[in-house]
Amino acid sequence: HVGSNCFRSGPCLKMLRLLLLVLSLSFSSACPPGEVACAAGTASAGVCVPHAKISTCQLDIWRNVYADPSARAAALLRNLTLREKLSLLATSPLDGLPNYVERLGLSPPTTNECLHGVCSSGYTVFPQSISLAATFDVDLLSRVGKTIGTELRAGYNEALKQPIAKQRLPICLGPQINIARDPRWGRAQETYGEDPHLTGELAKAYIHGMQGSGRVKLAGSVVKHFDAYNGATSRGSYSISEVTLTYADWEETYLQHWQAAVSEDPVGVMCSYNSLCLVDSYNMSCPAPSHGVPACANFELLQGVLRDEWAFKGFVISDAGAVQFLETDHRYAHSQVEAAALALKAGCDLDLGGGESLGQCRSFS
């Protein structure tokens, strides 16, 4: 404790300067060893970057991979116009509105099929997923995923030489982890089979290998299709169907492997075509007039389970045309605009090309 007169004396001023120096060093040491905070006045001020990457301090914060993802997203949203935000709601352009923002360096939100290799010429093709699962080899799935992620990252680096409208993001639609219980479905070859535990373990390995463990992912994994696609009562229906499950079967068969997959922090989850109705017993039917809630408009599924219960931080993308089908097939919405609104409010962030529902919102921009 010192008197007020002390602050007018030389020793106290020296002490205060020393204290400020210590405080400044304390703030500098907030960065991990080997990193330094970007200086005030730079575009990424305050962001911790490796010494060798100090030049990234000049990047806008949303382009700086060393910045906190939440801060990057917030900064980007502040710089987007409403029309530009609407333009990014779908993977395909609509009504002459491009689905990229060239002035900010935002590529189109494109995706790649990657169930057992990147579905494009020049990439390695591995055996179908059901064959990979038959090995029961978790390490093998991890190495397959890593190869896919590495190849896709290399392809993306090469694509950066192209105009931004032609660039494809290194985002993989895979793995496909639906439980294959009915061969009439026609998509069992895409899955890891009928066992939830095995499916969960293989999915974790595949996602981890594909994305890597670095600050920057090799590629982004989008796990599909959530949830209960080809469920117990779909009768082998390929796409738009009502799936009725007991709560017990849903938890034990159709959720546990999803929770395992989400624990690996995939960048995205794809919501499925089917509707979902939960009952206490298979002797019961879905209460009329309901036929269940379509997955891409199911708030309890996308928000309650996926985000609130499992703390999923990525984005949700519809299956191709699934938002459109809310009106045309499920009769759950009365119009395409209502279908888009229901999906957005439920937690679906992006419309995969093949439907134009979320794109309908763009006409009101």
Side-chain angles (χ1 to χ4, degrees), residues 80 84 87-88 98-108 164:
L80 286 169
E84 287 170 338
S87 75
L88 300 173
N99 61 335
Y100 59 91
V101 183
E102 187 164 7
R103 72 179 182 88
L104 298 180
L106 295 182
S107 307
I164 194 168

Side-chain angles (χ1 to χ4, degrees), residues 135-179:
T135 66
F136 288 78
D137 192 332
V138 173
D139 181 64
L140 174 64
L141 268 290
S142 179
R143 287 186 284 128
V144 168
K146 184 176 181 179
T147 300
I148 293 171
T150 302
E151 289 185 350
L152 190 58
R153 170 59 62 173
Y156 173 69
N157 290 342
E158 186 67 21
L160 290 176
K161 301 174 184 178
Q162 302 293 323
I164 194 168
K166 296 184 178 180
Q167 296 173 14
R168 295 185 66 87
L169 296 176
I171 296 178
C172 274
L173 301 182
Q176 206 270 55
I177 64 171
N178 293 121
I179 300 302

Side-chain angles (χ1 to χ4, degrees), residues 9-232:
S9 66
C12 279
L13 289 175
K14 289 180 181 180
M15 183 173 66
L16 285 172
R17 291 193 189 101
L18 179 61
L19 177 60
L20 290 173
L21 176 61
V22 170
L23 287 173
S24 67
L25 290 174
S26 298
F27 283 117
S28 299
S29 65
C31 291
E35 296 188 5
V36 62
C38 293
T42 60
S44 294
V47 175
C48 294
V49 301
H51 288 288
K53 300 292 184 179
I54 193 69
S55 61
T56 62
C57 290
Q58 304 305 321
L59 294 174
D60 292 315
I61 192 169
W62 62 82
R63 291 185 177 182
N64 196 326
V65 298
Y66 299 102
D68 176 72
S70 297
R72 295 177 66 188
L76 183 57
L77 286 172
R78 287 194 297 269
N79 283 275
L80 286 169
T81 66
L82 175 60
R83 188 173 177 82
E84 287 170 338
K85 292 174 184 177
L86 292 168
S87 75
L88 300 173
L89 286 176
T91 60
S92 56
L94 181 71
D95 296 335
L97 186 63
N99 61 335
Y100 59 91
V101 183
E102 187 164 7
R103 72 179 182 88
L104 298 180
L106 295 182
S107 307
T110 48
T111 57
N112 306 267
E113 289 286 356
C114 305
L115 293 180
H116 55 105
V118 181
C119 187
S120 185
S121 61
Y123 293 90
T124 303
V125 178
F126 295 93
Q128 279 277 16
S129 302
I130 194 72
S131 299
L132 294 173
T135 66
F136 288 78
D137 192 332
V138 173
D139 181 64
L140 174 64
L141 268 290
S142 179
R143 287 186 284 128
V144 168
K146 184 176 181 179
T147 300
I148 293 171
T150 302
E151 289 185 350
L152 190 58
R153 170 59 62 173
Y156 173 69
N157 290 342
E158 186 67 21
L160 290 176
K161 301 174 184 178
Q162 302 293 323
I164 194 168
K166 296 184 178 180
Q167 296 173 14
R168 295 185 66 87
L169 296 176
I171 296 178
C172 274
L173 301 182
Q176 206 270 55
I177 64 171
N178 293 121
I179 300 302
R181 293 254 169 119
D182 192 328
R184 295 175 297 174
W185 183 40
R187 301 185 67 172
Q189 73 277 4
E190 301 178 23
T191 75
Y192 295 139
E194 64 179 355
D195 183 80
H197 179 72
L198 177 64
T199 295
E201 292 302 304
L202 296 179
K204 286 166 59 179
Y206 194 78
I207 295 165
H208 183 79
M210 180 186 295
Q211 296 192 152
S213 54
R215 189 197 296 258
V216 179
K217 291 177 169 59
L218 284 173
S221 169
V222 176
V223 192
K224 58 184 188 178
H225 311 85
F226 193 56
D227 182 33
Y229 196 29
N230 188 35

